[in-house]
Amino acid sequence: MATRERSIARNLLEYVPAWLVLRSLTLMPRPLALALGGLIARTAYYLHGRLRRVGYRNLELAMPELGPAERKSIAKTVFLNMGLMLGEFSQFPKLNRENIEEIVVYDGFENYQRAASSGRGVLFLTGHFGVWELCAFAHGVFGNRLNFLVRPLDNPWIDAMITHYRTLSGNRVIDKNNSVKPVLKALGEGEAVGFLADANTHPDQGVFCDFFGVPACSTTGLSVFALRTGAPVVPGFLLWDRELGKHRLRFDPEIPLIRTGDFKDDVRLNTARFTKVIEDYSRRYVDQWLWIHKRWKTRPDGEPDIYAASGTPLPSHRSANVGMEA
């Protein structure tokens, strides 16, 4: 089915306010940009009921032991993180090697260095935590160029503007819809490629893996590239450290690949392993993961839409788990 072309008028109506907001925030000092980003996010929390309800539903699925007040508090913080990301993103043109450590510090960087020394490139497993746009950007500013997969935005003018900001640190974006050759080329040159591996995926591009005990369709791309190339998979997440007052770019040791001799099964098993890493971080940093994304939108055959309406029963396997916990 052909994609409907967007009109120039629509692109312009979307681009002008987006440019004005981003450019205005860029001209501001960082504390003011962050404050205004937070204000925008708090307003969005009260105005965007659909995303708010998605957050509540996801938390109900993942952590049924949480009460309504706890779910509300976490959802508010997730919205705030989005506002802070807008503020931090606007400051990208001002960041360089001399000042980046005022905002971001490495934690476990030796794990990344060890993997990079293999010469086979690095597959950077990451997710939508905190100010995730700063994760890739800071890594580039520190002198470690990263290629990362993105889905182009529908508005080509906004897409070009966002891409300009994203690549100011020397990073390169790869269209996830045409990623095979660019990813193989980057790995072949010993470079790193970042994968946001925690988003809902179409069944044609993923497999179902347990995520908080509920099957979630997860991208197989990372597993396929890892198995085909032998490039090491290293988890890396940007996390806000309240005590430090900075973001920590945390790298864990390389994840050993499972190889049974059955490629299809290996893809499934390794995708499940990577998904478990995302789940573990989401549990540890519960208010920093993007709960307002419909992570369980794609369902196994025969299961109803989890987000169709309030009151939809929990999946049977989750209901069983809840009963056991009780």
Side-chain angles (χ1 to χ4, degrees):
M1 182 177 176
T3 303
R4 291 181 59 185
E5 290 189 8
R6 294 167 60 90
S7 69
I8 293 177
R10 180 179 179 184
N11 285 338
L12 187 63
L13 286 172
E14 293 172 347
Y15 173 77
V16 170
W19 182 87
L20 286 172
V21 169
L22 184 58
R23 184 57 182 163
S24 297
L25 290 172
T26 300
L27 295 173
M28 296 176 187
R30 178 171 175 260
L32 182 56
L34 294 178
L36 287 179
L39 178 61
I40 292 171
R42 291 185 181 92
T43 303
Y45 172 81
Y46 291 104
L47 296 180
H48 213 309
R50 182 181 65 81
L51 286 182
R52 203 168 60 237
R53 289 188 292 273
V54 168
Y56 297 160
R57 181 57 167 160
N58 283 340
L59 287 162
E60 179 188 22
L61 287 167
M63 300 178 183
E65 69 276 11
L66 297 178
E70 292 172 296
R71 291 197 291 268
K72 183 177 181 180
S73 175
I74 293 169
K76 280 185 175 181
T77 303
V78 171
F79 271 86
L80 179 59
N81 291 340
M82 296 289 288
L84 295 178
M85 183 162 67
L86 173 61
E88 294 284 25
F89 188 84
S90 74
Q91 302 298 296
F92 281 5
K94 304 174 186 177
L95 297 180
N96 52 55
R97 188 62 186 86
E98 285 67 45
N99 62 20
I100 187 63
E101 290 185 70
E102 298 173 11
I103 300 171
V104 180
V105 294
Y106 274 132
D107 180 9
F109 183 61
E110 67 277 5
N111 293 314
Y112 177 85
Q113 288 179 306
R114 190 178 302 115
S117 67
S118 71
R120 301 190 301 274
V122 177
L123 290 166
F124 186 160
L125 165 63
T126 190
H128 295 84
F129 286 85
V131 183
W132 69 83
E133 288 280 357
L134 184 57
C135 177
F137 193 86
H139 197 48
V141 173
F142 275 115
N144 302 288
R145 186 168 71 179
L146 181 68
N147 305 267
F148 56 96
L149 276 64
V150 299
R151 185 188 73 81
L153 300 177
D154 294 335
N155 187 316
W157 299 348
I158 295 179
D159 185 68
M161 177 176 67
I162 298 301
T163 298
H164 170 69
Y165 272 69
R166 283 172 167 167
T167 55
L168 287 171
S169 63
N171 289 342
R172 296 187 295 200
V173 299
I174 296 175
D175 182 344
K176 67 181 300 183
N177 298 316
N178 298 285
S179 61
V180 176
K181 288 183 179 179
V183 169
L184 292 177
K185 182 176 185 293
L187 293 176
E189 294 173 352
E191 297 188 355
V193 181
F195 285 78
L196 285 163
D198 57 350
N200 180 69
T201 306
H202 191 275
D204 291 345
Q205 300 174 330
V207 294
F208 283 97
C209 306
D210 274 0
F211 187 56
F212 288 92
V214 183
C217 197
S218 306
T219 178
T220 55
L222 179 58
S223 294
V224 170
F225 281 118
L227 290 166
R228 293 293 192 197
T229 67
V233 178
V234 177
F237 303 95
L238 190 80
L239 307 162
W240 176 249
D241 188 317
R242 292 175 178 83
E243 293 185 5
L244 192 62
K246 298 180 182 182
H247 303 277
R248 277 191 300 115
L249 180 44
R250 169 67 193 175
F251 286 105
D252 285 344
E254 173 187 347
I255 302 174
L257 292 181
I258 301 171
R259 293 185 184 271
T260 67
D262 183 327
F263 184 77
K264 186 176 181 180
D265 203 39
D266 288 348
V267 168
R268 180 184 61 81
L269 292 171
N270 284 290
T271 300
R273 174 171 284 187
F274 302 153
T275 301
K276 185 63 169 61
V277 171
I278 300 286
E279 178 184 328
D280 290 345
Y281 266 86
S282 300
R283 286 187 185 278
R284 289 167 58 191
Y285 304 95
V286 65
D287 61 351
Q288 297 198 42
W289 189 65
L290 189 66
W291 293 100
I292 56 177
H293 163 67
K294 288 187 176 182
R295 182 62 182 92
W296 289 280
K297 181 179 179 180
T298 300
R299 305 309 313 134
D301 291 341
E303 281 199 11
D305 183 354
I306 283 176
Y307 303 101
S310 59
T312 301
L314 293 172
S316 57
H317 39 80
R318 166 54 81 189
S319 298
N321 290 343
V322 173
M324 290 171 64
E325 290 168 2

